[in-house]
Amino acid sequence: MDDIRDIVTRRVNDLTPAEKRCARALLADYPAAGLGSASSLAEAAGTSTPTVLRFLAHLGFGSYRTFQQRLRDEITRTATSPVQRATRSRAERSAPTDFTAAVDQRIGIAEQLVRAVPQPEFDAAVALLAGRPRRTLVAGGYFTHHLAALLASQLDQLLTGVDFTRDPLRADIGKYLDLGKDGVVLLFDFRRYEKDAKQLAELVKEQGGRLVLLTDHELSPSAQLADVVLPVYVDGVPFDSDAGVLILLESLVECVFNALGPKAIRRMERWEASVEIPRVFSASKSRSIAEEVISPL
């Protein structure tokens, strides 16, 4: 039986804008948001109770009571902490970890990517970046700062004004105070969500910037503030897997590159001509070695 969050993700394209706000509110505080009253969910979504009921009808639930019972059954079936997942996996495993099995598990996680990320959300993220915003800021969390740095370093070769902000609420806060409505922020916040991420999301919206949130399939609380949400399945043992996240980042960069067209090539040429990266073999040295190899005796 599909989880409710899977049903929401699969049907999000069929929802009205107001119903999409209900979906965001539900997933941003999942499953707790669905355990309260319909009016409390409506308040969290900034909409009305009848809209919440229409939203649930689109998901296939005839009443709010039916929806809540399904949600409670799901919680009973699946609620575990990361430590519980790791402990259970170890107990169920009768033999030492097999490399092939571990790889297959991560391939399975990566294959969930298309199911998890709504196409309109991905297209919206590409459009924001390909629109060449005046400033693009990238921020990660405790376990995702390396992913944020990787994304920023690649986007920097395609776009001007890209910055990886290692300490966004302190040393780098000035960059966010100068953001403005023509700025875009790419924020990573995965489960065991961080307070700093929510504070940063609030700051971005106060400054009028556009927020693209990269998060897991359970959705960061910051999803309610985001203009675009890119959720990824991350279940792994003992820690959540980055396999799907890396594929999402590479796909995002590739699609932005394609959308920019010749502008991206020109930017990359300027970057390569200006940035010195010490290498064992430089391009000129490689050419001279090749010439020696092919030159006649």
Side-chain angles (χ1 to χ4, degrees), residues 68-183:
Q68 286 194 318
Q69 185 57 54
R70 172 77 170 271
L71 190 59
R72 291 190 186 98
D73 292 344
E74 178 186 312
I75 293 168
T76 301
R77 186 179 73 250
T78 64
T80 57
S81 71
V83 174
Q84 288 172 316
R85 289 200 308 272
T87 303
R88 183 182 61 192
S89 173
R90 189 174 181 85
E92 291 173 350
R93 190 185 303 128
S94 58
T97 299
D98 177 74
F99 174 63
T100 302
V103 171
D104 286 344
Q105 181 191 15
R106 280 148 185 83
I107 290 173
I109 290 169
E111 286 175 343
Q112 297 286 344
L113 190 60
V114 174
R115 173 186 171 198
V117 179
Q119 184 71 46
E121 297 284 283
F122 182 84
D123 292 344
V126 172
L128 280 175
L129 295 170
R132 303 169 75 194
R134 181 181 63 85
R135 168 159 279 183
T136 301
L137 303 179
V138 188
Y142 185 84
F143 283 108
T144 55
H145 66 275
H146 63 291
L147 296 170
L150 173 65
L151 178 60
S153 66
Q154 293 186 344
L155 288 177
D156 182 48
Q157 295 192 40
L158 306 181
L159 299 165
T160 59
V162 176
D163 262 320
F164 167 58
T165 55
R166 186 175 296 276
D167 192 11
L169 291 178
R170 286 165 284 274
D172 294 316
I173 194 167
K175 297 173 182 177
Y176 288 88
L177 296 178
D178 296 335
L179 191 63
K181 63 182 179 181
D182 53 353

Side-chain angles (χ1 to χ4, degrees), residues 201-275:
E202 291 169 348
L203 176 60
V204 171
K205 301 318 292 180
E206 287 170 6
Q207 301 305 312
R210 307 295 295 276
L211 179 62
V212 178
L213 176 68
L214 297 98
T215 185
D216 62 272
H217 57 281
E218 294 179 359
L219 286 201
S220 157
S222 299
Q224 293 186 32
L225 299 169
D227 298 284
V228 178
V229 179
L230 302 177
V232 185
Y233 279 92
V234 295
D235 284 337
V237 175
F239 301 106
D240 284 340
S241 171
D242 289 337
V245 185
L246 285 169
I247 293 175
L248 173 63
L249 300 187
E250 291 185 6
S251 301
L252 182 62
V253 170
E254 180 177 342
C255 290
V256 170
F257 169 78
N258 291 335
L260 288 169
K263 297 186 183 83
I265 295 292
R266 289 196 292 272
R267 169 73 177 175
M268 291 176 70
E269 288 173 342
R270 292 177 59 197
W271 196 96
E272 288 284 349
S274 303
V275 177

